[in-house]
């Protein structure tokens, strides 16, 4: 009985330590009354833990403004860099988010004065972030419909996300064996 209790306490301690980290966010400058921010509730994750990034557009003007809406992968150009390895490639899922269909599926929506629109995105669904280390993430988001003549893109600054050491015996989120950054650097000419 006490053995089970000790195991449960150890598992809970590991889970809470993996999720310990401060929230991080970065915002663009205000353009035509609109500001774009990216934020994460945590700066530290364990491998394979969901990394949810909020993509927030705020209206700081005194009137309702129209912004373009659609699936986040159609609206955003996301850049993820692993500090030890370099730019992180998109996952299979991320590559399948068709660039050719996004224009046909965008639509304008209104954001009331002082209001926000939040689009959450499961970041490590689009990028394989199962390798331990520090990642830098920045995002460019389309704010207006293509061809509208207004400023159409806002760029966030960078946020840093830390993925803790690999879990022994685990595999990458997208299949295959996990490697650490030093092994990858040795294999790159």
């Amino acid at each position: 009985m006490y053995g089970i209790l000790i195991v449960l306490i150890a598992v809970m301690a590991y889970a809470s330590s993996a999720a310990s980290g401060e929230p991080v966010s970065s915002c663009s400058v205000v353009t035509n009354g609109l500001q774009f921010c990216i934020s994460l509730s945590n700066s530290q994750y364990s491998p394979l833990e969901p990394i949810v990034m909020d993509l927030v557009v705020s209206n700081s003007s005194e009137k309702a403004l129209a912004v373009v809406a659609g699936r986040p992968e159609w609206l955003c150009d996301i850049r993820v860099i692993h500090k030890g390895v370099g730019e992180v490639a998109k996952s299979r899922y991320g590559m399948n988010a068709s660039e050719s269909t996004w224009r046909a599926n965008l639509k304008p929506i209104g954001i009331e004065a002082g209001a926000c629109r939040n689009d959450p995105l499961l970041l490590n669904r689009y990028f394989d972030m199962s390798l331990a280390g520090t990642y830098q993430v920045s995002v460019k988001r389309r704010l207006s419909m293509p061809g509208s003549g207004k400023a159409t893109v806002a760029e966030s600054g960078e946020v840093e996300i830390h993925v803790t050491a690999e879990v022994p015996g685990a595999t990458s989120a997208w299949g295959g064996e996990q490697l650490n950054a030093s092994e990858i650097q040795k294999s790159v000419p």
Side-chain angles (χ1 to χ4, degrees):
M1 180 73 164
Y2 289 110
I4 293 173
L5 183 60
I6 291 172
V7 170
L8 285 175
I9 291 171
V11 168
M12 290 172 46
Y14 173 76
S16 67
S17 70
S20 64
E22 296 297 317
V24 291
S25 65
S26 181
C27 297
S28 69
V29 296
V30 176
T31 305
N32 297 330
L34 296 171
Q35 184 174 41
F36 170 62
C37 298
I38 59 174
S39 66
L40 293 101
S41 61
N42 198 346
S43 62
Q44 193 164 332
Y45 296 87
S46 62
L48 313 180
E49 179 181 359
I51 302 174
V52 178
M53 180 171 62
D54 289 317
L55 308 166
V56 181
V57 178
S58 303
N59 179 354
S60 61
S61 74
E62 296 180 8
K63 61 182 180 177
L65 294 174
V67 296
V68 65
R71 291 177 45 182
E73 63 269 23
W74 297 334
L75 297 172
C76 299
D77 295 320
I78 303 167
R79 186 167 187 203
V80 178
I81 297 173
H82 185 283
K83 280 190 166 182
V85 179
E87 192 152 359
V88 177
K90 286 185 176 180
S91 67
R92 286 186 201 141
Y93 183 88
M95 287 187 284
N96 289 335
S98 175
E99 182 69 24
S100 62
T101 60
W102 70 263
R103 286 183 189 261
N105 292 295
L106 298 179
K107 61 184 185 287
I109 61 160
I111 298 180
E112 294 298 319
C116 298
R117 175 180 172 86
N118 180 26
D119 293 307
L121 177 80
L122 185 57
L123 188 60
N124 52 344
R125 183 177 191 186
Y126 293 91
F127 296 90
D128 185 352
M129 299 176 70
S130 58
L131 181 65
T134 301
Y135 293 85
Q136 295 173 318
V137 180
S138 61
V139 181
K140 292 180 183 177
R141 187 201 191 277
R142 294 167 185 85
L143 292 176
S144 57
M145 294 297 286
S148 68
K150 297 180 182 177
T152 59
V153 176
E155 186 171 358
S156 73
E158 289 183 348
V159 295
E160 283 196 352
I161 302 169
H162 306 282
V163 175
T164 59
E166 293 89 359
V167 177
T171 60
S172 165
W174 317 115
E177 212 175 293
Q178 286 185 337
L179 300 173
N180 63 41
S182 62
E183 289 173 346
I184 291 174
Q185 287 173 336
K186 288 177 194 173
S187 67
V188 176

